[in-house]
Coordinates of all heavy atoms in Angstrom, one line a residue:
M1 N 269.4 300.8 92.8 CA 268.6 300.4 91.6 C 269.4 299.4 90.7 O 268.8 298.4 90.3 CB 268.4 301.7 90.8 CG 267.5 301.5 89.6 SD 265.8 301.4 90.2 CE 264.9 301.4 88.7
K2 N 270.7 299.6 90.5 CA 271.5 298.6 89.7 C 271.5 297.3 90.4 O 271.5 296.2 89.7 CB 272.9 299.2 89.5 CG 273.7 298.3 88.6 CD 274.9 299.0 88.2 CE 275.9 298.2 87.4 NZ 275.5 297.3 86.5
M3 N 271.6 297.2 91.7 CA 271.7 296.0 92.4 C 270.4 295.2 92.2 O 270.5 293.9 92.1 CB 271.9 296.3 93.9 CG 272.2 295.1 94.7 SD 273.8 294.4 94.2 CE 274.3 293.7 95.7
D4 N 269.3 295.8 92.2 CA 268.0 295.1 92.0 C 268.0 294.5 90.6 O 267.5 293.3 90.4 CB 266.8 296.0 92.2 CG 266.7 296.4 93.6 OD1 267.1 295.7 94.5 OD2 266.1 297.5 93.8
K5 N 268.5 295.2 89.6 CA 268.5 294.6 88.2 C 269.4 293.4 88.1 O 269.2 292.5 87.4 CB 268.9 295.7 87.2 CG 267.9 296.8 87.0 CD 268.3 297.8 86.0 CE 267.2 298.8 85.8 NZ 267.6 299.8 84.7
D6 N 270.6 293.5 88.8 CA 271.5 292.4 88.8 C 270.9 291.2 89.4 O 271.1 290.0 88.9 CB 272.8 292.8 89.5 CG 273.7 293.7 88.6 OD1 273.4 293.9 87.4 OD2 274.6 294.4 89.2
N7 N 270.3 291.4 90.6 CA 269.6 290.2 91.3 C 268.5 289.6 90.4 O 268.4 288.4 90.4 CB 269.1 290.7 92.6 CG 270.2 290.9 93.6 OD1 271.3 290.4 93.5 ND2 269.9 291.7 94.7
L8 N 267.8 290.5 89.8 CA 266.7 290.0 88.9 C 267.2 289.2 87.8 O 266.7 288.1 87.4 CB 265.8 291.2 88.4 CG 264.6 290.8 87.6 CD1 263.6 290.0 88.4 CD2 263.9 292.1 87.1
K9 N 268.3 289.7 87.2 CA 268.9 289.0 86.0 C 269.5 287.6 86.5 O 269.3 286.6 85.8 CB 270.1 289.9 85.5 CG 270.6 289.4 84.2 CD 271.7 290.4 83.7 CE 271.5 290.7 82.3 NZ 272.5 291.6 81.7
K10 N 270.1 287.6 87.7 CA 270.7 286.3 88.2 C 269.5 285.3 88.5 O 269.7 284.1 88.2 CB 271.5 286.5 89.4 CG 272.8 287.2 89.2 CD 273.6 287.4 90.5 CE 274.9 288.1 90.2 NZ 275.7 288.3 91.5
R11 N 268.5 285.8 89.0 CA 267.3 285.0 89.4 C 266.7 284.4 88.1 O 266.4 283.2 88.0 CB 266.3 285.7 90.2 CG 265.3 284.8 90.9 CD 264.5 285.5 91.9 NE 263.5 286.4 91.1 CZ 262.9 287.4 91.7 NH1 263.1 287.7 92.9 NH2 262.1 288.1 91.0
R12 N 266.5 285.2 87.1 CA 266.0 284.8 85.8 C 266.9 283.7 85.2 O 266.4 282.8 84.6 CB 265.8 285.9 84.9 CG 264.6 286.8 85.2 CD 264.4 287.9 84.2 NE 263.3 288.8 84.6 CZ 263.1 289.9 84.0 NH1 263.9 290.4 83.1 NH2 262.1 290.7 84.4
S13 N 268.2 284.0 85.3 CA 269.1 283.0 84.7 C 269.0 281.7 85.4 O 269.1 280.6 84.7 CB 270.6 283.6 84.8 OG 271.5 282.7 84.4
K14 N 268.9 281.7 86.7 CA 268.8 280.4 87.4 C 267.5 279.7 87.1 O 267.5 278.5 87.0 CB 268.8 280.7 88.9 CG 270.2 281.0 89.5 CD 270.1 281.2 91.0 CE 271.5 281.5 91.5 NZ 271.5 281.6 93.0
I15 N 266.4 280.4 86.9 CA 265.2 279.8 86.5 C 265.2 279.2 85.2 O 264.8 278.1 84.9 CB 264.0 280.9 86.6 CG1 263.7 281.2 88.1 CG2 262.7 280.3 86.0 CD1 262.8 282.4 88.3
V16 N 265.8 279.9 84.2 CA 265.9 279.4 82.8 C 266.8 278.2 82.8 O 266.5 277.2 82.2 CB 266.4 280.5 81.9 CG1 266.8 279.9 80.5 CG2 265.4 281.6 81.7
M17 N 267.9 278.2 83.5 CA 268.8 277.1 83.5 C 268.2 275.9 84.2 O 268.4 274.8 83.8 CB 270.2 277.4 84.2 CG 271.0 278.4 83.3 SD 271.3 277.8 81.6 CE 272.1 276.3 81.8
G18 N 267.4 276.1 85.2 CA 266.7 275.1 85.9 C 265.7 274.4 85.0 O 265.6 273.2 85.0
I19 N 265.0 275.2 84.2 CA 264.0 274.6 83.2 C 264.8 273.8 82.2 O 264.3 272.7 81.8 CB 263.2 275.8 82.6 CG1 262.3 276.4 83.6 CG2 262.4 275.3 81.4 CD1 261.6 277.6 83.2
I20 N 265.9 274.3 81.7 CA 266.7 273.5 80.7 C 267.2 272.2 81.3 O 267.1 271.2 80.7 CB 267.9 274.4 80.2 CG1 267.4 275.6 79.3 CG2 268.9 273.6 79.4 CD1 268.4 276.6 78.9
Y21 N 267.7 272.3 82.6 CA 268.2 271.1 83.2 C 267.0 270.0 83.4 O 267.2 268.9 83.1 CB 268.7 271.4 84.6 CG 270.0 272.1 84.6 CD1 270.4 272.9 85.7 CD2 270.9 272.0 83.5 CE1 271.6 273.6 85.7 CE2 272.1 272.7 83.5 CZ 272.5 273.5 84.6 OH 273.6 274.2 84.6
I22 N 265.9 270.5 83.8 CA 264.7 269.6 84.0 C 264.3 269.0 82.6 O 264.0 267.8 82.6 CB 263.5 270.4 84.7 CG1 263.9 270.6 86.1 CG2 262.3 269.5 84.6 CD1 262.9 271.6 86.8
A23 N 264.3 269.8 81.6 CA 263.9 269.3 80.3 C 264.9 268.2 79.8 O 264.5 267.2 79.2 CB 263.9 270.5 79.3
L24 N 266.2 268.5 80.0 CA 267.2 267.5 79.5 C 267.2 266.2 80.3 O 267.2 265.1 79.7 CB 268.6 268.1 79.7 CG 269.0 269.2 78.6 CD1 270.3 269.8 79.0 CD2 269.1 268.6 77.2
I25 N 267.1 266.3 81.6 CA 267.0 265.1 82.5 C 265.6 264.4 82.2 O 265.6 263.1 82.2 CB 267.2 265.4 83.9 CG1 268.7 265.9 84.1 CG2 266.9 264.2 84.8 CD1 269.7 264.8 83.8
G26 N 264.6 265.1 82.1 CA 263.3 264.5 81.9 C 263.2 263.8 80.5 O 262.7 262.7 80.4
G27 N 263.8 264.4 79.5 CA 263.9 263.8 78.2 C 264.8 262.6 78.2 O 264.5 261.5 77.6
F28 N 265.8 262.6 79.0 CA 266.7 261.5 79.2 C 265.9 260.3 79.7 O 266.0 259.2 79.2 CB 267.9 261.8 80.1 CG 268.6 260.6 80.6 CD1 269.5 259.9 79.7 CD2 268.5 260.2 81.9 CE1 270.1 258.7 80.2 CE2 269.2 259.1 82.4 CZ 270.0 258.4 81.5
F29 N 265.2 260.5 80.8 CA 264.5 259.4 81.5 C 263.3 258.9 80.6 O 263.1 257.7 80.5 CB 263.9 259.8 82.8 CG 265.0 259.8 83.9 CD1 265.4 260.9 84.5 CD2 265.6 258.6 84.3 CE1 266.4 260.9 85.5 CE2 266.5 258.5 85.3 CZ 266.9 259.7 85.9
L30 N 262.7 259.8 79.9 CA 261.6 259.4 79.0 C 262.1 258.5 77.9 O 261.5 257.5 77.5 CB 260.8 260.6 78.5 CG 259.9 261.3 79.5 CD1 259.3 262.6 78.8 CD2 258.8 260.4 79.9
L31 N 263.2 258.9 77.3 CA 263.7 258.2 76.1 C 264.4 256.9 76.5 O 264.4 256.0 75.8 CB 264.5 259.1 75.3 CG 263.8 260.3 74.6 CD1 264.8 261.2 73.9 CD2 262.8 259.7 73.6
M32 N 265.1 257.0 77.6 CA 265.9 255.8 78.0 C 265.1 254.7 78.5 O 265.4 253.5 78.2 CB 266.9 256.2 79.1 CG 267.9 255.1 79.4 SD 268.9 254.6 78.0 CE 270.2 255.7 78.1
F33 N 264.0 254.9 79.2 CA 263.2 253.9 79.8 C 261.9 253.6 79.1 O 261.0 253.2 79.7 CB 263.0 254.2 81.3 CG 264.3 254.3 82.0 CD1 264.8 255.5 82.5 CD2 265.2 253.2 82.1 CE1 266.0 255.6 83.2 CE2 266.4 253.2 82.8 CZ 266.8 254.4 83.3
D34 N 261.8 254.0 77.8 CA 260.6 253.6 77.1 C 260.8 252.2 76.4 O 261.8 251.6 76.5 CB 260.2 254.7 76.0 CG 261.3 254.8 74.9 OD1 262.3 254.2 75.1 OD2 261.0 255.5 74.0
S35 N 259.8 251.8 75.7 CA 259.8 250.4 75.2 C 260.6 250.4 73.9 O 261.1 249.3 73.5 CB 258.4 249.9 74.9 OG 257.8 250.8 74.0
N36 N 260.9 251.5 73.2 CA 261.6 251.6 72.0 C 263.1 251.8 72.3 O 263.5 252.8 72.7 CB 261.1 252.7 71.1 CG 261.7 252.7 69.7 OD1 262.5 251.9 69.4 ND2 261.3 253.7 68.9
S37 N 263.9 250.8 72.0 CA 265.3 250.9 72.3 C 266.1 251.7 71.3 O 267.3 252.0 71.5 CB 266.0 249.5 72.3 OG 265.9 248.9 71.0
D38 N 265.5 252.2 70.2 CA 266.1 253.0 69.2 C 266.3 254.4 69.8 O 267.2 255.2 69.3 CB 265.3 253.1 67.9 CG 265.2 251.8 67.2 OD1 266.1 251.0 67.4 OD2 264.2 251.6 66.5
N39 N 265.6 254.8 70.8 CA 265.8 256.1 71.4 C 266.9 256.2 72.4 O 267.2 257.3 72.9 CB 264.5 256.5 72.1 CG 263.3 256.7 71.2 OD1 263.5 257.0 70.0 ND2 262.1 256.5 71.6
N40 N 267.6 255.1 72.7 CA 268.6 255.2 73.7 C 269.8 256.1 73.3 O 270.4 256.7 74.2 CB 269.1 253.8 74.0 CG 268.1 252.9 74.8 OD1 267.1 253.5 75.2 ND2 268.4 251.6 74.9
L41 N 270.1 256.1 72.1 CA 271.2 257.0 71.6 C 270.9 258.5 71.8 O 271.7 259.3 72.2 CB 271.5 256.7 70.1 CG 272.8 257.4 69.6 CD1 274.0 256.9 70.4 CD2 273.0 257.0 68.1
I42 N 269.6 258.8 71.5 CA 269.2 260.2 71.8 C 269.2 260.5 73.3 O 269.6 261.6 73.7 CB 267.8 260.4 71.2 CG1 267.8 260.2 69.7 CG2 267.3 261.8 71.5 CD1 266.4 260.2 69.0
A43 N 268.8 259.6 74.1 CA 268.8 259.8 75.5 C 270.2 260.0 76.0 O 270.4 260.8 76.9 CB 268.1 258.6 76.2
T44 N 271.1 259.2 75.5 CA 272.5 259.3 75.9 C 273.0 260.7 75.5 O 273.7 261.4 76.3 CB 273.4 258.2 75.3 OG1 272.8 257.0 75.6 CG2 274.8 258.3 75.7
G45 N 272.6 261.2 74.3 CA 273.0 262.5 73.9 C 272.5 263.6 74.8 O 273.2 264.6 75.1
L46 N 271.3 263.5 75.2 CA 270.7 264.4 76.2 C 271.4 264.5 77.5 O 271.7 265.6 78.0 CB 269.2 264.1 76.4 CG 268.2 264.4 75.2 CD1 266.8 263.9 75.6 CD2 268.2 265.9 74.9
F47 N 271.8 263.3 78.0 CA 272.5 263.3 79.2 C 273.9 263.9 79.1 O 274.4 264.6 80.0 CB 272.6 261.8 79.8 CG 273.2 261.8 81.1 CD1 272.5 262.2 82.2 CD2 274.5 261.3 81.3 CE1 273.1 262.1 83.5 CE2 275.1 261.2 82.5 CZ 274.4 261.6 83.7
V48 N 274.6 263.6 78.0 CA 275.9 264.2 77.8 C 275.8 265.7 77.6 O 276.7 266.4 78.1 CB 276.6 263.5 76.6 CG1 277.9 264.2 76.2 CG2 276.8 262.0 76.8
V49 N 274.8 266.2 77.0 CA 274.6 267.6 76.9 C 274.4 268.2 78.3 O 274.9 269.3 78.6 CB 273.4 268.0 75.9 CG1 273.0 269.4 76.0 CG2 273.8 267.6 74.5
Y50 N 273.6 267.6 79.1 CA 273.4 268.0 80.5 C 274.7 268.1 81.3 O 275.0 269.2 81.9 CB 272.4 267.1 81.2 CG 272.3 267.3 82.7 CD1 271.6 268.3 83.2 CD2 272.9 266.4 83.6 CE1 271.4 268.5 84.5 CE2 272.7 266.6 84.9 CZ 272.0 267.6 85.4 OH 271.9 267.8 86.8
V51 N 275.5 267.1 81.2 CA 276.8 267.1 81.9 C 277.7 268.2 81.3 O 278.5 268.8 82.0 CB 277.4 265.7 81.9 CG1 278.8 265.7 82.6 CG2 276.5 264.7 82.6
F52 N 277.7 268.3 80.0 CA 278.5 269.4 79.3 C 278.1 270.7 79.8 O 279.0 271.5 80.1 CB 278.3 269.3 77.8 CG 278.9 270.4 77.0 CD1 280.3 270.5 76.8 CD2 278.1 271.4 76.5 CE1 280.8 271.6 76.2 CE2 278.6 272.5 75.8 CZ 280.0 272.5 75.6
I53 N 276.9 271.1 79.9 CA 276.4 272.4 80.4 C 276.9 272.6 81.8 O 277.3 273.6 82.2 CB 274.9 272.5 80.2 CG1 274.5 272.6 78.8 CG2 274.4 273.8 81.0 CD1 273.0 272.6 78.5
L54 N 276.7 271.5 82.7 CA 277.1 271.6 84.1 C 278.6 271.9 84.2 O 279.1 272.8 85.0 CB 276.8 270.3 84.8 CG 275.4 270.2 85.3 CD1 275.2 268.8 86.0 CD2 274.9 271.3 86.2
S55 N 279.4 271.2 83.4 CA 280.9 271.4 83.5 C 281.3 272.7 82.9 O 282.2 273.3 83.5 CB 281.6 270.2 82.8 OG 281.4 270.3 81.4
L56 N 280.6 273.2 81.9 CA 281.0 274.5 81.3 C 280.6 275.6 82.3 O 281.4 276.5 82.5 CB 280.3 274.7 80.0 CG 280.7 275.9 79.1 CD1 282.2 275.7 78.8 CD2 279.9 275.9 77.9
R57 N 279.5 275.5 82.9 CA 279.1 276.5 83.9 C 280.0 276.5 85.1 O 280.4 277.5 85.7 CB 277.7 276.3 84.3 CG 276.7 276.8 83.3 CD 275.3 276.6 83.7 NE 274.9 277.2 85.0 CZ 274.4 278.4 85.1 NH1 274.1 279.1 84.0 NH2 274.1 278.9 86.3
G58 N 280.5 275.3 85.5 CA 281.4 275.1 86.6 C 282.8 275.8 86.3 O 283.4 276.4 87.1
A59 N 283.2 275.6 85.0 CA 284.4 276.2 84.6 C 284.4 277.7 84.6 O 285.3 278.4 85.1 CB 284.8 275.7 83.2
I60 N 283.3 278.2 84.1 CA 283.1 279.7 84.1 C 283.1 280.2 85.6 O 283.7 281.2 85.9 CB 281.9 280.1 83.3 CG1 282.1 279.7 81.9 CG2 281.5 281.6 83.5 CD1 280.8 279.8 81.0
R61 N 282.4 279.5 86.4 CA 282.3 279.9 87.9 C 283.7 279.9 88.5 O 284.1 280.8 89.2 CB 281.3 279.1 88.6 CG 281.1 279.5 90.0 CD 280.0 278.6 90.7 NE 280.2 277.2 90.5 CZ 279.4 276.4 89.8 NH1 278.3 276.9 89.2 NH2 279.7 275.1 89.7
E62 N 284.4 278.8 88.3 CA 285.8 278.7 88.9 C 286.7 279.7 88.4 O 287.5 280.2 89.1 CB 286.3 277.3 88.7 CG 285.6 276.2 89.4 CD 285.7 276.2 90.9 OE1 286.7 276.8 91.4 OE2 284.8 275.8 91.6
R63 N 286.6 280.0 87.1 CA 287.5 281.1 86.5 C 287.2 282.4 87.1 O 288.1 283.2 87.4 CB 287.3 281.1 85.0 CG 288.1 282.1 84.3 CD 289.6 281.7 84.3 NE 290.3 282.7 83.6 CZ 291.4 283.3 84.0 NH1 291.9 283.0 85.2 NH2 292.0 284.2 83.3
A64 N 285.9 282.7 87.4 CA 285.5 284.0 88.0 C 286.0 284.1 89.4 O 286.3 285.1 89.9 CB 284.0 284.1 87.9
E65 N 286.1 282.9 90.1 CA 286.5 282.9 91.5 C 288.0 282.9 91.6 O 288.6 283.1 92.7 CB 286.0 281.7 92.2 CG 284.5 281.8 92.4 CD 283.9 280.5 93.1 OE1 284.7 279.6 93.4 OE2 282.7 280.4 93.3
G66 N 288.7 282.7 90.5 CA 290.2 282.8 90.5 C 290.9 281.5 90.6 O 292.1 281.4 90.7
N67 N 290.2 280.4 90.5 CA 290.7 279.0 90.6 C 291.1 278.6 89.2 O 290.3 277.9 88.5 CB 289.8 278.1 91.2 CG 289.4 278.4 92.6 OD1 290.2 279.0 93.4 ND2 288.2 278.1 93.1
K68 N 292.3 279.0 88.7 CA 292.7 278.7 87.3 C 292.9 277.2 87.0 O 292.4 276.7 86.0 CB 293.9 279.5 87.0 CG 293.7 281.0 87.0 CD 295.0 281.7 86.6 CE 294.8 283.2 86.7 NZ 296.1 283.9 86.4
K69 N 293.5 276.5 87.9 CA 293.7 275.1 87.7 C 292.4 274.3 87.7 O 292.2 273.4 86.8 CB 294.7 274.5 88.7 CG 296.1 275.0 88.6 CD 297.0 274.4 89.6 CE 298.4 274.9 89.5 NZ 299.3 274.3 90.5
R70 N 291.5 274.6 88.6 CA 290.2 273.9 88.6 C 289.4 274.3 87.4 O 288.7 273.4 86.8 CB 289.5 274.2 89.9 CG 288.3 273.3 90.1 CD 287.7 273.5 91.4 NE 288.6 273.1 92.5 CZ 288.4 273.3 93.8 NH1 287.3 274.0 94.2 NH2 289.2 272.9 94.7
A71 N 289.5 275.5 87.0 CA 288.8 276.0 85.8 C 289.3 275.3 84.5 O 288.5 274.9 83.7 CB 288.9 277.5 85.6
L72 N 290.6 275.1 84.5 CA 291.2 274.4 83.3 C 290.7 272.9 83.3 O 290.5 272.4 82.2 CB 292.7 274.4 83.4 CG 293.5 273.9 82.3 CD1 293.2 274.7 81.0 CD2 295.0 274.0 82.5
L73 N 290.6 272.3 84.5 CA 290.1 270.9 84.5 C 288.7 270.9 84.0 O 288.3 270.0 83.2 CB 290.1 270.4 86.0 CG 289.5 269.1 86.2 CD1 290.4 268.0 85.7 CD2 289.3 268.9 87.7
Y74 N 287.8 271.8 84.4 CA 286.5 271.8 84.0 C 286.4 272.1 82.5 O 285.6 271.5 81.8 CB 285.6 272.9 84.7 CG 285.1 272.4 86.1 CD1 285.5 273.0 87.2 CD2 284.2 271.4 86.2 CE1 285.0 272.7 88.5 CE2 283.7 271.0 87.4 CZ 284.1 271.6 88.5 OH 283.6 271.2 89.7
F75 N 287.2 273.0 82.0 CA 287.2 273.3 80.5 C 287.7 272.1 79.7 O 287.2 271.8 78.7 CB 288.1 274.5 80.2 CG 287.4 275.8 80.4 CD1 288.0 276.8 81.2 CD2 286.2 276.1 79.8 CE1 287.4 278.0 81.4 CE2 285.6 277.3 80.0 CZ 286.2 278.3 80.8
G76 N 288.7 271.4 80.3 CA 289.1 270.1 79.6 C 288.0 269.1 79.5 O 287.8 268.4 78.5
M77 N 287.3 269.0 80.7 CA 286.2 268.0 80.7 C 285.1 268.5 79.7 O 284.5 267.6 79.0 CB 285.6 267.9 82.1 CG 284.6 266.8 82.3 SD 284.2 266.4 84.0 CE 283.5 268.0 84.5
S78 N 284.8 269.8 79.6 CA 283.8 270.3 78.7 C 284.3 270.0 77.2 O 283.4 269.6 76.4 CB 283.7 271.8 78.9 OG 283.2 272.1 80.1
G79 N 285.6 270.1 77.0 CA 286.0 269.8 75.6 C 285.9 268.4 75.2 O 285.4 268.1 74.1
S80 N 286.2 267.5 76.2 CA 286.0 266.1 75.9 C 284.5 265.7 75.7 O 284.2 264.9 74.9 CB 286.7 265.2 77.0 OG 286.1 265.4 78.2
L81 N 283.7 266.4 76.5 CA 282.2 266.1 76.4 C 281.7 266.7 75.0 O 280.8 266.1 74.4 CB 281.5 266.7 77.5 CG 281.6 266.0 78.9 CD1 281.1 266.8 80.0 CD2 281.0 264.6 78.8
A82 N 282.3 267.8 74.6 CA 281.9 268.3 73.3 C 282.2 267.3 72.2 O 281.5 267.1 71.2 CB 282.5 269.7 73.0
I83 N 283.4 266.7 72.3 CA 283.8 265.7 71.3 C 282.9 264.5 71.4 O 282.5 264.0 70.3 CB 285.3 265.3 71.5 CG1 286.2 266.5 71.2 CG2 285.6 264.1 70.7 CD1 287.6 266.3 71.6
A84 N 282.4 264.1 72.6 CA 281.5 263.0 72.7 C 280.1 263.4 72.1 O 279.5 262.5 71.5 CB 281.3 262.7 74.2
I85 N 279.7 264.6 72.2 CA 278.4 265.0 71.6 C 278.5 265.0 70.1 O 277.6 264.5 69.5 CB 278.1 266.5 72.1 CG1 277.7 266.5 73.6 CG2 276.9 267.0 71.3 CD1 277.6 267.8 74.2
I86 N 279.6 265.4 69.6 CA 279.8 265.3 68.1 C 279.8 263.9 67.7 O 279.2 263.5 66.6 CB 281.1 266.1 67.7 CG1 280.9 267.6 68.0 CG2 281.5 265.8 66.2 CD1 282.2 268.4 67.8
A87 N 280.5 263.0 68.4 CA 280.6 261.6 68.0 C 279.2 261.0 68.1 O 278.8 260.2 67.2 CB 281.6 260.9 69.0
L88 N 278.4 261.3 69.1 CA 277.1 260.8 69.2 C 276.2 261.3 68.1 O 275.4 260.5 67.5 CB 276.4 261.2 70.5 CG 276.9 260.4 71.8 CD1 276.4 261.1 73.0 CD2 276.3 259.0 71.7
A89 N 276.4 262.5 67.7 CA 275.6 263.1 66.6 C 275.9 262.4 65.2 O 275.1 262.0 64.5 CB 275.8 264.6 66.4
V90 N 277.2 262.2 65.0 CA 277.7 261.5 63.8 C 277.2 260.0 63.8 O 276.7 259.5 62.8 CB 279.2 261.5 63.7 CG1 279.7 260.6 62.6 CG2 279.7 263.0 63.4
N91 N 277.3 259.4 64.9 CA 276.8 258.0 65.1 C 275.3 258.0 64.8 O 274.8 257.1 64.1 CB 277.1 257.5 66.5 CG 276.9 256.0 66.6 OD1 276.6 255.3 65.6 ND2 277.0 255.5 67.8
Y92 N 274.5 258.9 65.3 CA 273.1 258.9 65.1 C 272.7 259.1 63.6 O 271.8 258.5 63.1 CB 272.4 260.0 66.0 CG 270.9 260.1 65.8 CD1 270.1 259.1 66.3 CD2 270.3 261.1 65.0 CE1 268.7 259.2 66.2 CE2 269.0 261.1 64.9 CZ 268.2 260.2 65.4 OH 266.8 260.2 65.3
V93 N 273.5 260.1 63.0 CA 273.2 260.3 61.6 C 273.5 259.1 60.7 O 272.8 258.8 59.8 CB 274.0 261.6 61.1 CG1 274.0 261.7 59.6 CG2 273.4 262.8 61.8
T94 N 274.6 258.4 61.0 CA 275.0 257.3 60.2 C 274.0 256.1 60.4 O 273.8 255.3 59.5 CB 276.4 256.8 60.5 OG1 276.6 256.6 61.9 CG2 277.4 257.9 60.1
I95 N 273.5 256.0 61.6 CA 272.6 254.9 61.9 C 271.2 255.1 61.2 O 270.6 254.2 60.7 CB 272.4 254.7 63.4 CG1 273.6 254.1 64.0 CG2 271.2 253.8 63.7 CD1 273.6 254.0 65.5
T96 N 270.7 256.4 61.3 CA 269.4 256.6 60.7 C 269.4 256.8 59.2 O 268.3 256.7 58.6 CB 268.8 257.9 61.4 OG1 269.7 259.0 61.1 CG2 268.6 257.7 62.9
S97 N 270.5 257.1 58.6 CA 270.5 257.2 57.1 C 270.8 256.0 56.4 O 271.0 254.9 56.9 CB 271.4 258.3 56.7 OG 272.7 258.0 57.1

C-alpha cells in the first residue's frame, strides 16, 4: 500500500515539474521571438529560472545518490544562477521605473 502512494507521489511530481518546464520554455520562446524587443529581458529571466530549477533538482538528486562533489558543483551552479536571477530582476525594475 505504501509503495503505491510513493509511486503516485513521484508520478504527480514529474507531471507537475513537466508542466512547469513547458510553461517556462514556452514563455521563453513566445517572449524572445515576438516583435516587441522589450520582452527579451523577461524571456532571459524565464530561461535562467528554467536552468536554475534543473540544476537545483540535479544537485538534490546527486546528493541523494551520494555524489557529494557533483552535488556541490550543481549547488554552486544553482547559487550563481540565483545571483543572475536577482541581477535580472533588479535590471528589469530599474529599466521599467
Side-chain angles (χ1 to χ4, degrees):
M1 186 74 172
K2 184 168 174 37
M3 190 67 149
D4 292 334
K5 288 183 181 180
D6 288 342
N7 286 339
L8 183 62
K9 193 177 222 182
K10 286 180 183 179
R11 194 170 72 198
R12 285 182 184 166
S13 174
K14 284 184 181 182
I15 291 171
V16 168
M17 289 309 297
I19 291 170
I20 291 171
Y21 290 154
I22 290 170
L24 288 171
I25 293 297
F28 166 73
F29 281 115
L30 285 175
L31 292 174
M32 186 61 84
F33 300 111
D34 65 349
S35 61
N36 187 1
S37 64
D38 295 335
N39 294 334
N40 289 351
L41 190 61
I42 298 171
T44 305
L46 289 175
F47 186 73
V48 173
V49 168
Y50 169 74
V51 176
F52 170 75
I53 292 171
L54 281 179
S55 65
L56 191 60
R57 285 179 56 95
I60 293 169
R61 183 177 49 248
E62 291 295 333
R63 179 73 177 128
E65 291 176 1
N67 300 328
K68 293 180 183 179
K69 290 183 181 180
R70 193 174 292 171
L72 186 61
L73 175 72
Y74 278 117
F75 278 126
M77 189 168 61
S78 298
S80 64
L81 287 167
I83 292 170
I85 291 168
I86 293 169
L88 283 168
V90 168
N91 192 8
Y92 180 75
V93 168
T94 57
I95 287 174
T96 58
S97 60

